Amino acid sequence: MSHDISVELLSDGVSYWDGGGAFGLVPRVKWMRLLPPDDLNRVPQDLRCVLIRDHGRNILVDGGVGDKPNEVRAAQYEVHRPNGTLIDDLARHGLGRADIEMVIFTHLHGDHSGWATECVEPGVSGAYQPTFPRARYYVQRQEYEDATHSNERTRNTYFAENFTPLLRQGLLTLLDGPADITPDVRVVPTPGHTAGHQSVIVATPEAPTLILGDLATYMIQFARLPWVTAYDVLPMQTIESKRYWQQWSLEHEAVLISPHDTLIPTGKLVKDKKGFLQVIPTP
Ligand SMILES: [Zn+2]
């Protein structure tokens, strides 16, 4: 078996979110020391995406906020892009839109599915085209159902123009549970943040890579079970999902990739002598 597989981090910029949203029930005095908020109580969240190079195939995991004009989105995400967009970052990695063969969404929230489609004619409804013209896209069926049947609480997190054009054009595969996307890339359900949320396991050499998605927004939330965001629709399920994947990560010494952590983009979960879990950064 060759190990012609690698994982690289990409970014669509940095977004600023209310710290209370990011840390939920955890008191501000506890999280503010780890991640100091600005004077509007906002904390930074990297809009991280992942590029998997799998035996010559380029696979993208998650798609940032994108660049469609939308006032709700602009107010909600407060995106800063000193290094440009995801598309600029792909270009720095030598890749154009047509080089991406597969796109996997951990879930369809607006900060993870933005670049799935682009607006080709501003102001014209229905003028959304897949950004990556040769790609097949993957998401859990449950997530697509929830995203297209949002409720009062989830409405502002899903933007239909990001994903309905993909299904209409037959480019979106709806998954029912765990699935091997390639022999080296597997998706696994990690419900909690949303009911249809999934994470991605890559069979990288030495140790597997676990792309968490919003199973844990920040690494500290992966290490501490009760630290769950206010956005999670099934917080008790998040805790059970984390409990299982904590054990798995310890057993496999997995490399973890965070979707939003600005301080620890990648790390390993370790247990100290007292039994406390923490994620230590990896290079
Ligand atoms: Zn997110």
Side-chain angles (χ1 to χ4, degrees):
M1 276 297 280
S2 75
H3 274 302
D4 190 10
I5 187 155
S6 68
V7 170
E8 290 155 76
L9 305 185
L10 301 170
S11 178
D12 195 33
V14 178
S15 181
Y16 288 81
W17 292 73
D18 186 79
F23 289 102
L25 294 176
V26 178
R28 177 178 146 114
V29 290
K30 286 199 172 183
W31 57 258
M32 67 181 290
R33 271 170 290 180
L34 305 164
L35 196 66
D38 68 11
D39 52 7
L40 293 173
N41 199 43
R42 297 175 310 180
V43 290
Q45 299 203 347
D46 228 305
L47 296 166
R48 190 166 296 118
C49 309
V50 181
L51 172 67
I52 306 169
R53 299 190 199 246
D54 181 4
H55 297 84
R57 276 182 292 214
N58 299 309
I59 305 169
L60 181 65
V61 178
D62 282 344
V65 164
D67 72 344
K68 296 182 203 72
N70 181 311
E71 280 171 30
V72 176
R73 227 166 329 196
Q76 188 162 303
Y77 293 134
E78 178 74 37
V79 180
H80 295 240
R81 285 173 162 151
N83 301 312
T85 67
L86 171 64
I87 302 302
D88 299 317
D89 208 2
L90 278 169
R92 279 192 290 276
H93 287 73
L95 299 174
R97 289 169 170 76
D99 295 315
I100 302 298
E101 281 182 50
M102 300 173 181
V103 181
I104 300 171
F105 301 113
T106 58
H107 61 304
L108 293 172
H109 280 169
D111 57 326
H112 292 256
S113 61
W115 280 107
T117 60
E118 283 180 295
C119 184
V120 288
E121 254 183 282
V124 178
S125 72
Y128 298 101
Q129 288 298 325
T131 302
F132 307 103
R134 293 179 53 235
R136 174 146 286 279
Y137 300 73
Y138 299 85
V139 74
Q140 290 289 322
R141 183 185 309 277
Q142 172 82 56
E143 179 67 14
Y144 190 84
E145 287 299 315
D146 292 344
T148 48
H149 299 81
S150 58
N151 57 40
E152 290 80 358
R153 184 158 185 259
T154 63
R155 190 162 297 149
N156 278 346
T157 60
Y158 290 120
F159 303 100
E161 63 270 25
N162 286 346
F163 41 82
T164 53
L166 303 175
L167 193 76
R168 259 204 311 276
Q169 297 191 27
L171 302 172
L172 184 63
T173 297
L174 300 179
L175 303 165
D176 296 296
D180 292 320
I181 305 301
T182 75
D184 292 311
V185 178
R186 181 169 177 77
V187 296
V188 289
T190 47
H193 185 66
T194 65
H197 189 277
Q198 64 183 357
S199 300
V200 183
I201 300 171
V202 186
T204 32
E206 316 286 334
T209 300
L210 176 60
I211 303 169
L212 293 168
D214 279 335
L215 173 60
T217 295
Y218 294 98
M219 289 300 199
I220 185 123
Q221 292 167 327
F222 189 63
R224 297 187 186 178
L225 291 178
W227 287 45
V228 174
T229 81
Y231 306 111
D232 288 35
V233 293
L234 302 167
M236 295 312 296
Q237 189 117 49
T238 301
I239 290 175
E240 292 315 312
S241 292
K242 289 197 295 187
R243 196 191 308 278
Y244 178 87
W245 289 101
Q246 278 183 344
Q247 281 311 309
W248 184 92
S249 299
L250 289 170
E251 277 163 31
H252 292 82
E253 298 182 21
V255 176
L256 308 168
I257 297 183
S258 165
H260 298 301
D261 200 314
T262 48
L263 303 172
I264 311 179
T266 66
K268 280 199 179 195
L269 187 69
V270 295
K271 194 181 261 186
D272 71 15
K273 284 191 187 115
K274 289 179 179 163
F276 287 117
L277 293 174
Q278 64 167 323
V279 175
I280 51 166
T282 52

